[in-house]
Amino acid sequence: MNYTIKNEYLTVTASDAGAELQSVRSAEGLEYLWQADPAIWSGKAPNLFPYIARLTNETFTLNGKFYHMKRHGMVNYHTLVMETPACYVQSEEENDVLLTADEMTFRFESSKQTREQYPFDFVYRITYALRGSTLVITNTVENTGTERMYFGVGGHPGFRVPLDEGLSFEDYYLEFDRPSHPYRVGFTDTCFLTGQDQLYPLENDRRIPLHHDLFDHDAVVLKHAPKTVKIASDKGKHSVTVHYPDFAYIGFWHATGKEAPYVCVEPWTSLPSRDGIIEDLSCQADLIGLDGGKTYQNLWTVEFE
């Protein structure tokens, strides 16, 4: 089922399948979100929880037991529950629901099935809220058990590039809101950590010019970078600005070896496992630790122009 919220600036649609964004359109009808092509990348904007990216052999340990989880955790593989009150439903046609609210919340709860992969009791929620021409995305994790739980959260939205008619992919760039000297996280060819991070030079200490071979070695994941980045072109009028104040890492990606007309901007709280190591979840330093009965919340925003 698809659910839509709208205001005078934006119309935003998300599916209950993974609570994944399906469309972000301006009042003039400009589509900002990558619309998926199985020949290139069939995703649009996956939500990442409780693990980000890859586990060695899709396996981790906890308290001496082995567990198996697919890439980017579990949310993408489940149907979430829409929590927006039924009285907000304005109209319904087949699998599309238009809401009168300016926000919508999806819920994913632990179950016997999830505990076989991830042995914690939790409620995960993601809320999409419209604030003018900005989409506010809030991740909330509630530990409903008694044991301390360990997790990461992140986003993976793909934005169309070019955004302006008549321009090319190479006319665009990624630009941080201030000068910086970030480090690129070292990955193997199979996207596991090497521990060999390197200074990543930015043009004028702020900009990454876009070109397709930028992603020949998969994602560019940075640490110690500013918390705001924009996709823009000096030749165009449309842009996308992502602000992620409480995320330690920011990743940029499109399908490797292809002239894919999109760029993913991915805020992450944590990194994948080390190359060849089955991680003990309680020992991975960048995971969030949340005690029983406590709640964690993290929000990020996307401004569309």
Side-chain angles (χ1 to χ4, degrees):
M1 183 77 74
N2 287 334
Y3 296 87
T4 297
I5 54 176
K6 63 188 301 184
N7 63 10
E8 61 181 305
Y9 303 100
L10 296 171
T11 299
V12 174
T13 299
S15 170
D16 58 3
E20 184 173 4
L21 288 172
Q22 299 298 302
S23 174
V24 179
R25 285 183 287 111
S26 71
E28 295 74 32
L30 174 66
E31 178 63 67
Y32 288 95
L33 197 69
W34 161 247
Q35 287 302 289
D37 179 347
I40 299 175
W41 179 50
S42 59
K44 292 184 178 180
N47 294 303
L48 317 182
F49 171 84
Y51 201 82
I52 293 171
R54 292 167 168 83
L55 287 157
T56 297
N57 298 336
E58 297 188 341
T59 302
F60 68 88
T61 65
L62 191 69
N63 298 325
K65 293 184 64 176
F66 287 84
Y67 298 88
H68 304 283
M69 194 187 317
K70 294 180 180 178
R71 182 174 55 176
H72 290 320
M74 297 186 294
V75 172
N76 293 322
Y77 309 101
H78 287 79
T79 299
L80 278 64
V81 175
M82 161 58 66
E83 285 195 334
T84 301
C87 62
Y88 283 5
V89 175
Q90 179 178 347
S91 63
E92 182 174 353
E93 296 180 6
E94 297 181 353
N95 291 324
D96 295 301
V97 175
L98 178 63
L99 306 177
T100 60
D102 60 0
E103 65 180 60
M104 51 185 168
T105 298
F106 295 87
R107 184 181 77 248
F108 174 47
E109 294 188 44
S110 57
S111 63
K112 180 179 178 181
Q113 180 187 8
T114 67
R115 284 188 288 271
E116 291 175 353
Q117 304 173 63
Y118 179 70
F120 298 105
D121 294 313
F122 65 85
V123 177
Y124 165 90
R125 291 179 173 88
I126 184 165
T127 298
Y128 299 109
L130 291 173
R131 301 291 182 264
S133 60
T134 297
L135 178 63
V136 181
I137 303 167
T138 304
N139 290 282
T140 304
V141 180
E142 180 183 354
N143 183 346
T144 56
T146 58
E147 302 295 324
R148 186 174 176 85
M149 65 182 287
Y150 305 92
F151 61 91
V153 295
H156 197 313
F159 301 109
R160 291 178 55 242
V161 179
L163 288 166
D164 298 272
E165 189 174 351
L167 298 187
S168 69
F169 187 87
E170 291 78 7
D171 288 324
Y172 286 78
Y173 50 79
L174 298 158
E175 186 171 68
F176 293 104
D177 63 336
R178 59 178 176 80
S180 68
H181 300 91
Y183 278 75
R184 182 174 183 174
V185 177
F187 287 120
T188 66
D189 290 340
T190 50
C191 298
F192 294 100
L193 297 186
T194 65
Q196 298 175 348
D197 303 339
Q198 295 184 339
L199 188 66
Y200 190 77
L202 304 176
E203 184 179 277
N204 296 324
D205 292 336
R206 293 182 60 176
R207 185 175 290 189
I208 303 173
L210 286 178
H211 45 92
H212 292 296
D213 59 6
L214 181 66
F215 307 107
D216 279 356
H217 299 286
D218 218 277
V220 175
V221 178
L222 303 180
K223 65 180 184 180
H224 308 316
K227 302 299 185 179
T228 300
V229 67
K230 175 185 283 191
I231 302 172
S233 170
D234 293 334
K235 301 177 182 179
K237 64 178 182 178
H238 297 293
S239 64
V240 174
T241 302
V242 183
H243 181 56
Y244 41 96
D246 296 318
F247 290 85
Y249 310 97
I250 187 67
F252 308 113
W253 175 83
H254 80 30
T256 303
K258 298 180 180 180
E259 295 189 359
Y262 68 90
V263 170
C264 289
V265 179
E266 306 179 35
W268 293 359
T269 60
S270 56
L271 294 171
S273 73
R274 292 167 290 174
D275 184 31
I277 294 177
I278 304 296
E279 300 287 358
D280 181 331
L281 221 61
S282 66
C283 296
Q284 185 171 330
D286 59 3
L287 292 179
I288 298 158
L290 186 66
D291 290 332
K294 301 295 184 179
T295 298
Y296 166 88
Q297 192 169 82
N298 191 336
L299 68 83
W300 53 294
T301 65
V302 189
E303 182 181 357
F304 301 92
E305 295 182 5

